[in-house]
Amino acid sequence: MDHENGTGVTEFVLLGLSQTWEIQLFLFILFLVFYSVILPANILIILTIRSDPHLGSPMYFFLANLAFLDICYCSVTPPKMLADFFSHHKMISYGGCMAQIFFIHFLGAAEVFLLMGMAFDRYVAICHPLRYASMMSREVCGALVGAAWAGGFTHSILQVVLILRLPFCGPNELDNFFCDITQVIKLACTDVYMLEFFMFFSSGFSTMMCFLVLLISYAVLLVRLQAGGPSKGTSKVASTCVTHVIIVFIMFSPAIYIYCHPFHTFFLDKVVSVFHTMVFPLMNPIIYTLRNKEIISAMKRLLDRQGLCRGK
């Protein structure tokens, strides 16, 4: 890796999802409709939680932050992808490519750490219910969210700093609709074996370990709930834990697939990337909301109040 810093490549060519115009048009309409429905729904979740005093518990505070992170995450690559459907030359500048990589890993890692914080919240609620209010105070919740953002930034900046040291002198084609580490480093004009190995541990292996830790944690909590005997409160808490497990599976599965095989390219990579960067993140808060009657009721109250205001 001893080489002079610099790059001869000023832009990268994105090959996109398809070269067929009919398929591109279909995908554009499909994703546009999806965003027109799901994105406002996520914004409504945040507004509902912030405006309803009944949703002041840490669990909903974390959910609002999860929805915000997912909205930010889905604003990194999809806008350019939608614009590129109507472009014959799908190009992205070197700086724009590095920015995409930074924000994808920054927001993605921050969401991983936030999910760890949500798991800790459920642990305190189940194992220390009498101390829940003091242990999960507003200050503690804010610190956990701040730590998630800080952890995401640290993870991402390490990735980007290593990539910025690589020389790029051609070729400059990326067989995808966005820039990501697993493809960009393969275009470097130097041996990147050790760097790929580092990326595997920092992104793939660490993601897998977080996934297993979260699954084991929720499994232990669910077993403890069952051992405590059935009750209305227990059933509600168990349902919340199951929802968290569903979100963990939805978020981690594509990430594990993408970053646990950095040395090879598979035909499903593009499909998984679409779900990982566009579909699943926006669906996480929606899934949580559909399984939570309190949020649905609060949404109806918010919409009713807005309707009355318009009626006046």
Side-chain angles (χ1 to χ4, degrees):
M1 298 296 290
D2 294 330
H3 55 76
E4 182 179 354
N5 292 342
T7 176
V9 172
T10 59
E11 58 187 15
F12 293 96
V13 179
L14 301 174
L15 298 183
L17 294 176
S18 173
Q19 302 299 317
T20 305
W21 165 246
E22 290 78 10
I23 296 178
Q24 292 188 63
L25 181 60
F26 170 76
L27 292 174
F28 172 80
I29 296 174
L30 179 65
F31 290 134
L32 186 62
V33 171
F34 175 79
Y35 269 81
S36 300
V37 176
I38 303 299
L39 188 59
N42 279 269
I43 296 174
L44 178 61
I45 291 173
I46 298 175
L47 294 176
T48 300
I49 293 174
R50 289 183 60 86
S51 63
D52 197 302
H54 297 93
L55 303 179
S57 68
M59 180 176 66
Y60 296 113
F61 172 74
F62 288 126
L63 176 60
N65 280 276
L66 176 67
F68 178 73
L69 267 175
D70 282 331
I71 290 173
C72 293
Y73 188 80
C74 290
S75 301
V76 177
T77 60
K80 176 161 180 56
M81 188 201 71
L82 292 174
D84 282 345
F85 279 131
F86 296 97
S87 175
H88 293 290
H89 303 286
K90 301 174 177 61
M91 314 290 293
I92 185 170
S93 66
Y94 176 83
C97 185
M98 295 303 108
Q100 275 195 350
I101 292 174
F102 172 78
F103 283 107
I104 286 173
H105 286 265
F106 172 33
L107 297 169
E111 188 162 342
V112 169
F113 291 123
L114 181 62
L115 289 176
M116 302 285 281
M118 294 174 72
F120 177 72
D121 171 67
R122 291 299 86 199
Y123 162 77
V124 176
I126 294 171
C127 300
H128 303 282
L130 299 180
R131 301 174 56 195
Y132 181 72
S134 60
M135 291 182 66
M136 296 303 298
S137 63
R138 184 179 296 272
E139 292 75 17
V140 172
C141 293
L144 288 173
V145 172
W149 284 87
F153 177 83
T154 302
H155 165 79
S156 183
I157 200 69
L158 288 174
Q159 315 289 310
V160 174
V161 166
L162 290 174
I163 295 178
L164 288 175
R165 295 180 65 248
L166 296 176
F168 295 95
C169 49
N172 65 337
E173 288 189 348
L174 297 173
D175 189 18
N176 215 322
F177 60 94
F178 71 105
C179 287
D180 201 3
I181 290 175
T182 55
Q183 292 194 36
V184 171
I185 61 176
K186 288 182 171 64
L187 300 181
C189 304
T190 186
D191 182 16
V192 294
Y193 179 81
M194 292 304 298
L195 183 57
E196 281 191 318
F197 208 68
F198 171 79
M199 296 299 181
F200 166 75
F201 275 97
S202 64
S203 293
F205 183 75
S206 59
T207 301
M208 173 70 78
M209 293 306 298
C210 290
F211 174 69
L212 293 176
V213 168
L214 285 171
L215 284 187
I216 294 172
S217 300
Y218 281 117
V220 171
L221 292 178
L222 288 171
V223 169
R224 178 155 185 165
L225 283 173
Q226 293 299 320
S231 67
K232 184 177 180 180
T234 300
S235 177
K236 182 178 178 181
V237 174
S239 177
T240 302
C241 289
V242 170
T243 304
H244 285 193
V245 172
I246 294 173
I247 293 175
V248 167
F249 265 104
I250 287 177
M251 177 184 170
F252 280 85
S253 297
I256 292 171
Y257 175 88
I258 293 171
Y259 297 113
C260 280
H261 67 272
F263 301 97
H264 305 283
T265 300
F266 297 107
F267 71 97
L268 284 178
D269 285 0
K270 286 187 181 181
V271 177
V272 176
S273 294
V274 169
F275 283 96
H276 179 55
T277 60
M278 300 183 63
V279 179
F280 286 163
L282 286 180
M283 291 303 297
N284 287 341
I286 301 299
I287 293 171
Y288 194 106
T289 301
L290 293 176
R291 293 177 55 88
N292 192 297
K293 294 181 180 179
E294 292 182 6
I295 298 183
I296 294 177
S297 299
M299 279 184 174
K300 291 179 179 178
R301 290 194 296 268
L302 177 62
L303 295 175
D304 285 344
R305 287 198 301 269
Q306 295 301 317
L308 290 174
C309 290
R310 287 194 296 270
K312 292 180 180 181

Short mmCIF file of all heavy atoms in Angstrom, two decimals, residues 80 95 220 226 237 299:
data_model
loop_
_atom_site.label_atom_id
_atom_site.label_comp_id
_atom_site.label_asym_id
_atom_site.label_seq_id
_atom_site.Cartn_x
_atom_site.Cartn_y
_atom_site.Cartn_z
N LYS A 80 -30.49 10.06 -7.05
CA LYS A 80 -29.65 10.00 -8.25
C LYS A 80 -30.05 8.83 -9.14
O LYS A 80 -30.03 8.95 -10.36
CB LYS A 80 -28.18 9.90 -7.85
CG LYS A 80 -27.28 9.72 -9.08
CD LYS A 80 -25.85 10.06 -8.80
CE LYS A 80 -24.99 9.87 -10.06
NZ LYS A 80 -25.49 10.65 -11.21
N GLY A 95 -15.73 12.83 -6.14
CA GLY A 95 -16.16 13.36 -4.84
C GLY A 95 -17.55 12.88 -4.47
O GLY A 95 -17.82 12.55 -3.31
N VAL A 220 -33.15 -14.46 24.66
CA VAL A 220 -33.08 -14.57 26.13
C VAL A 220 -34.22 -13.79 26.77
O VAL A 220 -34.86 -14.26 27.73
CB VAL A 220 -31.72 -14.05 26.63
CG1 VAL A 220 -31.71 -13.95 28.15
CG2 VAL A 220 -30.60 -14.96 26.15
N GLN A 226 -41.56 -15.57 28.94
CA GLN A 226 -42.38 -16.78 29.00
C GLN A 226 -42.29 -17.44 30.37
O GLN A 226 -43.27 -17.98 30.89
CB GLN A 226 -41.94 -17.77 27.92
CG GLN A 226 -42.22 -17.28 26.50
CD GLN A 226 -43.71 -17.07 26.25
OE1 GLN A 226 -44.55 -17.85 26.68
NE2 GLN A 226 -44.03 -15.99 25.54
N VAL A 237 -45.25 -6.68 25.74
CA VAL A 237 -43.79 -6.55 25.69
C VAL A 237 -43.20 -7.58 24.74
O VAL A 237 -42.28 -7.29 23.96
CB VAL A 237 -43.18 -6.70 27.10
CG1 VAL A 237 -41.66 -6.70 27.02
CG2 VAL A 237 -43.66 -5.58 28.01
N MET A 299 -51.89 8.29 15.43
CA MET A 299 -51.93 8.81 14.06
C MET A 299 -53.33 9.27 13.69
O MET A 299 -53.52 10.35 13.09
CB MET A 299 -51.46 7.73 13.07
CG MET A 299 -49.98 7.56 12.97
SD MET A 299 -49.57 6.35 11.69
CE MET A 299 -47.78 6.51 11.70
#
